[in-house]
Structures are given as structure tokens and as C-alpha cells.
Amino acid sequence: MTDTLPDIEVRGQRRREPAEPFPERPEPVVFEGQHAELDPNIGQELDPCADPATALDWNADAAAAEAKREFERRAADMGDDGLYTREWHAYVYQNASGHMYLGPVSYGPPMGGMVTPNTSGMTPDNLIGSVHNHPGGSMNPSGSDWQGFDGLHSWVSAYAGTARADQMRLYIIARDVNDPNSQMSIHVFDKDSNRNSDSPAEDVNPDGQPCP
């Protein structure tokens, strides 16, 4: 009898272990010659951008990566020590056509460990999640982070439905404080994430790009 390994669900542009490569979109399948008549959609089920359900995670992760780059750019303009000086925050929104974009970026005082999010333009129908950094803290959400997430989840659920609310993501940018050589990385959470502060988080590709 041959043992079969369980399927591992790949969501978004994420890896479970630091040594793993980040997921990549497959190259398009092109049939030529005697195979030219084959269905060009063969193999497209492997492309996360081919299905709106999987494209949502892919594009949300890309928006989080964009937020990290934007935070770093602005931090450099202000003369900060990367993302170690202050807390930065932005919401991730999705318009009616499915395109994801960042809301206004806000930041806190140096070494203050806090930031007041800018909710301009937020509606229950466009909110996908939020991105912020922990300058010197945990890679996992704090208690207040979860409290804020739960409040927004309830708000979206009440006005746009539970299914819409369950699409929300919480992204934390932080380094592993147990590893002095670690760099700032992006970690993703949702309503079903283990809220144990010691549980490992999925790592998001900082160079992630959205679906074309």
C-alpha cells in the first residue's frame, strides 16, 4: 500500500518556512504544431490569478508588499533607521473591478510604538485589510491589533455580509527578535489564524506583484 501525502494548500505569495522559496505564477501554456488544437486553458488551474478566489490572496499579499516598500521609502525620506524608528500603517482596499490599492499612509512618533490609522475612503464594501510594522516587537499581532481587527470584521460583516468580512487580512511587518540577523518581513493573518503569540506566521514575499 502506498501512502499519499496530504495536499498542502498554497495561498497567496506566502511561504511557511524561511528556507522555502516563495510561490511563483506558472508560465503560460503554449501549444504549437500538432498540439495547437488543445485547449489553451489546460494547466491554468495552477495559476492563482486565473480564479478570483485565489487571486484575492495573491493581490492582497502584493498590496502588503507595496505597503512595505512605501513605508521604507518614506522612512528613508525622513531619515529614519528603516522601519525600526516608528510605526507605519495603511489600509488595503479593493475597488469594484477587483483592483487592490493602498489607502493613505500614516505614521507615529519616533520610538512611540503607536500610530493613528487614516480611515479616509473606507467603506464596508472596499476594506480588505491593514498593514503596519512593529519597530521592535513581535511578528504576531498584539492584543490591541486583534481587537482592532475584530472590530472592523464585525463592522464589515454587519453592513456587507460575513463572507465579505472573512476576506479581510491583517499584515504585520517585523523582524524575528530571537534572531539578531533577521530582517523586517511581512506576516499575514486572518480570522482563522492561531492567536497564540508563539505560533509561527506565514511569510509574504516582499517583492510580490499583483495579477496582471
Side-chain angles (χ1 to χ4, degrees):
M1 178 177 179
T2 302
D3 292 333
T4 58
L5 296 175
D7 292 335
I8 298 176
E9 180 186 12
V10 177
R11 294 178 55 194
Q13 304 186 54
R14 312 165 188 176
R15 62 184 180 187
R16 287 179 169 81
E17 299 293 338
E20 292 180 355
F22 289 109
E24 296 182 358
R25 291 184 62 213
E27 293 293 328
V29 177
V30 178
F31 297 104
E32 299 178 348
Q34 62 179 330
H35 301 298
E37 74 283 359
L38 294 178
D39 185 350
N41 292 318
I42 294 176
Q44 293 308 299
E45 67 273 8
L46 301 177
D47 183 356
C49 294
D51 184 334
T54 52
L56 186 144
D57 278 314
W58 190 269
N59 288 327
D61 289 355
E66 179 187 352
K68 181 176 183 290
R69 294 190 290 267
E70 181 64 10
F71 294 170
E72 291 171 334
R73 184 188 70 79
R74 297 195 185 198
D77 289 344
M78 296 176 67
D80 288 355
D81 178 17
L83 301 184
Y84 297 100
T85 300
R86 71 184 78 228
E87 194 164 312
W88 296 80
H89 181 283
Y91 286 109
V92 178
Y93 298 125
Q94 183 180 38
N95 64 21
S97 66
H99 172 72
M100 293 193 188
Y101 60 99
L102 295 179
V105 173
S106 52
Y107 60 88
M111 311 310 293
M114 63 180 66
V115 62
T116 300
N118 187 328
T119 58
S120 300
M122 179 189 292
T123 72
D125 296 306
N126 69 10
L127 179 62
I128 284 294
S130 67
V131 190
H132 74 277
N133 65 307
H134 287 168
S138 170
M139 293 187 294
N140 290 348
S142 66
S144 59
D145 291 336
W146 280 122
Q147 184 177 13
F149 177 86
D150 289 339
L152 288 173
H153 185 279
S154 296
W155 176 65
V156 172
S157 181
Y159 290 95
T162 301
R164 185 72 178 85
D166 289 351
Q167 295 176 342
M168 290 173 54
R169 305 289 179 262
L170 173 59
Y171 293 93
I172 303 293
I173 303 171
R175 62 180 290 269
D176 183 354
V177 294
N178 297 313
D179 179 0
N181 297 315
S182 67
Q183 303 296 316
M184 286 282 184
S185 53
I186 310 168
H187 308 274
V188 59
F189 306 85
D190 59 29
K191 72 175 186 65
D192 295 322
S193 295
N194 186 337
R195 300 195 179 191
N196 185 324
S197 60
D198 296 325
S199 65
E202 290 182 305
D203 194 9
V204 175
N205 187 354
D207 297 318
Q209 298 296 321
C211 296

